[in-house]
Amino acid sequence: VGDEIAALFPDKKPKVMIVTDSGVRSAGLLNGIEEYLKNAGSELFIFDEVEPNPRDTTVHKAAELFNAQQMDALVAVGGGSSLDLAKAVGVVAAFGGNIADYDGMGKVPGEIAPLIAIPTTAGTASEVTFLAIITDTSNHVKMGVGDHKLAPKISLVDPLMTLSLPRSLTMGTGLDALTHAVESYTSVVGSPPTDSLAIQAIELIAKNLPLAVENGRD
């Protein structure tokens, strides 16, 4: 991750906000990431207050800190909640307002701060999508902020990051991945290429998920 940040900022030592949750941090999954970033000369600020189904209030808090600390880039580490929140933080930090102002598709007016996504679960695929799901605490609904500008610049997908997951999360996120594959195969806009990938995913998950649930170090 240090090399990737350096490539994104060849002419400066960037200030990087790591967006994560307290469980990922306490599990020690940030240790190597912090080391690589510091060795690359980056100054770090860690925001570890991401909750499940991330809230708009958390987005605004993190965005305010991002701007106050004059951060240059975002590194999201965790499950879909952390990755989605980092996308939303990038929007509010860059363009202000309330994240609800960007609910829907194609409402982000320009580029956000570069985002590197490092997933720690198998299920959401937020590291390769341009959608952020955020809870609107005023109306008690989930918003979908979608725009191609939200897609992470870089995704670093390392299976070793999933080894410390509790058994229940290994099972739940694996079933989430299975659901995505089934949805793709049954979609009315599917095609032979997507069907072949979906079938392969279903076969791989059916074969390997029980083994991973039984032994999380496998």
Side-chain angles (χ1 to χ4, degrees):
V1 68
D3 292 341
E4 301 293 353
I5 281 287
L8 289 172
F9 296 91
D11 300 322
K12 66 182 294 186
K13 301 297 185 183
K15 300 175 73 173
V16 178
M17 174 182 274
I18 296 177
V19 177
T20 189
D21 62 65
S22 58
V24 167
R25 190 174 190 180
S26 63
L29 294 179
L30 300 186
N31 295 344
I33 294 168
E34 290 183 67
E35 180 182 354
Y36 289 132
L37 288 171
K38 288 178 179 177
N39 288 343
S42 298
E43 182 179 340
L44 305 182
F45 181 90
I46 298 176
F47 182 85
D48 65 355
E49 301 178 32
V50 180
E51 66 273 282
N53 303 307
R55 304 183 182 98
D56 51 5
T57 51
T58 310
V59 171
H60 301 146
K61 180 177 182 179
E64 184 177 342
L65 290 169
F66 185 93
N67 286 336
Q69 297 291 328
Q70 297 181 311
M71 298 280 107
D72 299 299
L74 293 152
V75 173
V77 185
S81 294
S82 293
L83 276 55
D84 282 5
L85 187 122
K87 296 174 185 177
V89 168
V91 174
V92 176
F95 305 109
N98 190 301
I99 189 60
D101 299 335
Y102 307 94
D103 186 15
M105 295 298 295
K107 296 183 179 180
V108 179
E111 295 296 324
I112 67 173
L115 167 62
I116 294 179
I118 305 177
T120 61
T121 68
T124 69
S126 182
E127 69 276 4
V128 292
T129 71
F130 53 83
L131 188 69
I133 305 299
I134 303 296
T135 300
D136 182 337
T137 55
S138 297
N139 298 313
H140 305 289
V141 297
K142 287 188 177 182
M143 301 177 287
V145 180
D147 197 292
H148 286 280
K149 304 178 192 74
L150 295 188
K153 293 292 185 186
I154 297 163
S155 295
L156 301 176
V157 184
D158 183 353
L160 296 180
M161 296 293 284
T162 70
L163 295 186
S164 61
L165 278 179
R167 186 172 185 266
S168 60
L169 281 178
T170 298
M171 179 172 60
T173 57
L175 289 173
D176 191 11
L178 176 63
T179 300
H180 286 311
V182 172
E183 287 174 337
S184 174
Y185 184 69
T186 59
S187 171
V188 296
V189 294
S191 64
T194 62
D195 285 350
S196 66
L197 291 170
I199 291 171
Q200 185 180 23
I202 292 167
E203 291 175 345
L204 286 169
I205 295 169
K207 177 182 177 181
N208 291 288
L209 181 57
L211 303 177
V213 172
E214 183 65 26
N215 176 13
R217 305 296 299 181
D218 186 347

